[in-house]
C-alpha cells in the first residue's frame, strides 16, 4: 500500500492524472505485476481509472485476459481509494482474489468526486464471489493525498456537482 499511495501522491501533482493509483500483486510472493495510475485527465478518457490501468497492464504482461484462467495464479489489487462503480464492476471480471483499499468511497466523495451508484452490500457480494476485501490500510495517508489534490486545485472530473 505504501507504493500505491506514493504513486497516487505523484499522480496528484498538477498536470498529472489525478489522486488515484492501484497495483496488481501476486498473492503468494507479493511480487509487483503492474502499477497503474489514473490517466483520465491526461488522456481525456473517463475509463482510464487507476484500477483499470493496473488490470490492463497486468493482464497484458501475463498474456491472459483473466487472472483465473489457465492456472494464472492468485492476484491482489491494491487501490489508494475504494473502487468507484465502474471499477467495482471491472475488478471481479479480472479474476483477482483480493482487494486492498486505502481511503474509502466517502473520502473521495468528500472532495467532490462522484463515485457512482454502488450497492451497500458490495463487499459481501465480492466475498461471496471469492474476492477478499481489506479496507482502511493506511487510510489517513491515502486520504491526505485526496485532500492535497483538492487544495492544489486538481481537476475534479465527473464531479458530484455535475461540473468538470
Amino acid at each position: 500500500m505504501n507504493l500505491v499511495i506514493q504513486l497516487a501522491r505523484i499522480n496528484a501533482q498538477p498536470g498529472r492524472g489525478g489522486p488515484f493509483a492501484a497495483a496488481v500483486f501476486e498473492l503468494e510472493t507479493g511480487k509487483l505485476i503492474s502499477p497503474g495510475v489514473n490517466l483520465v485527465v491526461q488522456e481525456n478518457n473517463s475509463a482510464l481509472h487507476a484500477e483499470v490501468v493496473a488490470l490492463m497492464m497486468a493482464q497484458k504482461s501475463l498474456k491472459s485476459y483473466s487472472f483465473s484462467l489457465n492456472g494464472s495464479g492468485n492476484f491482489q489489487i491494491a487501490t489508494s481509494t475504494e473502487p468507484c462503480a465502474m471499477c467495482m464492476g471491472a475488478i471481479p471480471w479480472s479474476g483477482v482474489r483480493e482487494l486492498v483499499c486505502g481511503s474509502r468511497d466517502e473520502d473521495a466523495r468528500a472532495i467532490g468526486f462522484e463515485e457512482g451508484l454502488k450497492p451497500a452490500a458490495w463487499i459481501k457480494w465480492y466475498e461471496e464471489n471469492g474476492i477478499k476485501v481489506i479496507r482502511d490500510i493506511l487510510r489517513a495517508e491515502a486520504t491526505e493525498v485526496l485532500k492535497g489534490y483538492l487544495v492544489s486545485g486538481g481537476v475534479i472530473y465527473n464531479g458530484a456537482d455535475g461540473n468538470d
Side-chain angles (χ1 to χ4, degrees):
M1 186 56 73
N2 283 315
L3 170 66
V4 171
I5 292 171
Q6 182 58 27
L7 290 171
R9 187 174 289 116
I10 292 167
N11 208 51
Q13 295 173 5
R16 299 223 177 217
F20 304 103
V24 175
F25 297 93
E26 191 173 62
L27 265 173
E28 289 82 13
T29 65
K31 176 185 173 189
L32 174 65
I33 304 300
S34 177
V37 294
N38 190 294
L39 300 173
V40 170
V41 175
Q42 287 168 285
E43 298 297 326
N44 293 304
N45 186 322
S46 62
L48 293 178
H49 290 201
E51 297 94 330
V52 171
V53 172
L55 292 169
M56 287 172 33
M57 300 309 294
Q59 290 173 339
K60 183 174 182 172
S61 171
L62 296 169
K63 296 177 176 46
S64 178
Y65 61 85
S66 177
F67 301 127
S68 62
L69 291 177
N70 306 319
S72 297
N74 291 318
F75 296 90
Q76 169 196 83
I77 185 164
T79 65
S80 60
T81 303
E82 289 178 348
C84 69
M86 177 181 71
C87 296
M88 190 184 77
I91 288 170
W93 287 345
S94 73
V96 298
R97 293 285 138 235
E98 189 171 275
L99 167 65
V100 178
C101 308
S103 62
R104 290 198 179 191
D105 177 274
E106 58 259 31
D107 300 325
R109 290 180 192 272
I111 69 163
F113 280 101
E114 171 53 58
E115 296 295 283
L117 296 174
K118 291 171 50 176
W122 71 272
I123 295 171
K124 181 180 178 195
W125 182 80
Y126 264 38
E127 291 176 346
E128 288 173 351
N129 286 279
I131 302 171
K132 181 179 180 180
V133 177
I134 303 169
R135 301 165 81 192
D136 299 335
I137 303 300
L138 302 176
R139 182 179 180 187
E141 292 87 339
T143 302
E144 281 306 311
V145 173
L146 295 172
K147 291 176 181 176
Y149 181 76
L150 180 65
V151 169
S152 73
V155 176
I156 305 295
Y157 46 88
N158 297 334
D161 64 1
N163 297 317
D164 290 340

